[in-house]
Amino acid sequence: MAKATLLLPARSRFPAGALPAQVAAALGRAEHGLAEAGESAQLRRHFTIEPASWSAAALSRHADAGDADGSLWLRADPANVVPDMQGARLMASAETLRLEQADVDALVPELQTLFAGFGYQLDAPTPSRWYLRLPEATPLPTFVEPEVVLGDDLFEHLPDGDNGRQWRALLTEAQVVLHQHPWNEQRVADGKRAVNSLWFWGAGTLPASVSTVHAQVRSRDALLQGLAKMAGVRIGGEQTVDALVDLRQLRSLDQLTRDAITPLLDALARGELEELRLDFEDGTHYRILRGQRWRFWKKPLTALTDG
């Protein structure tokens, strides 16, 4: 019988509000607990990765192009930076820029020339995710994920130290190339954000092995797809098996309860679903079983943040 696990953002990402009676009762009667918070810890609850460190660049490249094995990778994602009185702020990157193949065809060739001079290969198998293939022994600094930098002064998050110096200089040179490119003038004229910077992050190689208890992963996230592909499980399609369903993009409490949880509770009541798990990025998790409906003494959960 099928099981479903919903991968969800932190509960604080949802607005405050009362839960529908059916959802409130189910969560109040469910088994629940608190695990380690954060995106990495959340993914590790569902995937066993060896060695323990893993690269977002290599895994997403594996999903995008299938050629990540045997190379050192770094994401060099297209980005938009807006200067202000204190410095410059990262306002958008990757998918949020909504790039098309025409943007790649216009912008990437000149950047390829820049990086080739350092022995690095730049390409873009998808318009929103750009990659650098690096020589295996390239010394790298610590890079920060774009979600940490978004809306903040990017100079506060640039790599430091001797290894970081080259990458700070490369970023500046890439910004010059992009700033001077006429394609960006057209993007701005069309009401779009300019692609005037890159953001380096996610460095590393593919892990040796990935495994999971799930038989299916449903997600649009390239990193999660890469993990699923490494684990050899089905990606996408209708849910008919033990599925991990990625809903981390949700921000509406109504969508979560009405469109995601309620239909699965109905399937649980009909005996079509054996088990429903909710895994929030803040570490809160619930395990809902059909037999829990007899726990009448358990009080309903009045709000999502009460658990």
Side-chain angles (χ1 to χ4, degrees):
M1 191 179 297
K3 301 178 182 179
T5 300
L6 304 186
L7 204 61
L8 299 165
R11 294 172 300 160
S12 60
R13 292 297 191 96
F14 296 101
L19 298 173
Q22 182 185 11
V23 175
L27 293 182
R29 297 168 184 171
E31 298 174 9
H32 67 280
L34 185 63
E36 185 180 352
E39 179 187 15
S40 176
Q42 186 181 36
L43 293 180
R44 290 178 190 278
R45 287 195 283 275
H46 302 280
F47 295 92
T48 300
I49 307 166
E50 297 293 342
S53 60
W54 46 273
S55 161
L59 285 165
S60 61
R61 177 75 186 200
H62 187 57
D64 285 338
D67 62 354
D69 194 24
S71 295
L72 176 62
W73 296 95
L74 180 67
R75 287 275 288 267
D77 283 343
N80 173 260
V81 170
V82 176
D84 63 15
M85 295 294 290
Q86 283 72 42
R89 296 189 181 275
L90 183 70
M91 302 307 295
S93 70
E95 286 85 353
T96 57
L97 282 169
R98 299 180 181 179
L99 301 184
E100 299 177 355
Q101 187 59 42
D103 297 295
V104 172
D105 295 340
L107 298 173
V108 168
E110 289 191 36
L111 290 170
Q112 286 174 324
T113 301
L114 167 65
F115 287 108
F118 294 85
Y120 306 150
Q121 300 175 25
L122 175 72
D123 75 340
T126 70
S128 59
R129 291 184 291 277
W130 301 3
Y131 296 87
L132 283 170
R133 187 196 299 259
L134 310 175
E136 186 176 350
T138 303
L140 294 173
T142 299
F143 296 101
V144 179
E145 296 180 359
E147 290 79 9
V148 176
V149 190
L150 196 62
D152 202 1
D153 184 353
L154 84 164
F155 294 110
E156 296 293 327
H157 302 281
L158 293 178
D160 55 16
D162 292 339
N163 289 339
R165 185 179 300 112
Q166 180 192 37
W167 292 98
R168 295 193 300 272
L170 269 172
L171 178 63
T172 299
E173 292 189 46
Q175 288 173 337
V176 171
V177 170
L178 291 168
H179 177 74
Q180 295 176 344
H181 203 295
W183 185 262
N184 271 318
E185 295 180 11
Q186 186 59 52
R187 279 186 61 88
V188 172
D190 293 340
K192 303 174 182 177
R193 289 187 182 272
V195 182
N196 57 10
S197 186
L198 300 176
W199 190 253
F200 305 125
W201 71 286
T205 60
L206 277 183
S209 67
V210 177
S211 60
T212 181
V213 298
H214 303 290
Q216 178 187 20
V217 171
R218 298 172 63 190
S219 175
R220 293 178 292 178
D221 179 68
L223 170 57
L224 198 49
Q225 289 181 358
L227 287 168
K229 190 173 180 179
M230 284 285 295
V233 300
R234 182 151 54 96
I235 302 172
E238 292 298 317
Q239 180 186 332
T240 57
V241 292
D242 185 350
L244 178 66
V245 183
D246 183 12
L247 298 178
R248 290 173 294 169
Q249 78 282 0
L250 282 183
R251 296 296 182 267
S252 165
L253 183 62
D254 188 48
Q255 279 187 313
L256 172 65
T257 56
R258 181 197 64 201
D259 298 339
I261 298 178
T262 297
L264 293 172
L265 290 178
D266 291 340
L268 198 68
R270 293 191 299 267
E272 298 170 359
L273 193 67
E274 179 183 357
E275 178 181 309
L276 171 62
R277 290 178 181 257
L278 310 182
D279 184 343
F280 292 90
E281 190 180 340
D282 57 34
T284 303
H285 54 90
Y286 295 89
R287 180 171 181 251
I288 305 171
L289 303 170
R290 189 182 185 193
Q292 293 167 350
R293 68 189 187 278
W294 303 113
R295 295 180 174 181
F296 298 117
W297 63 93
K298 294 281 189 176
K299 295 181 179 180
L301 203 67
T302 57
L304 198 60
T305 52
D306 288 348

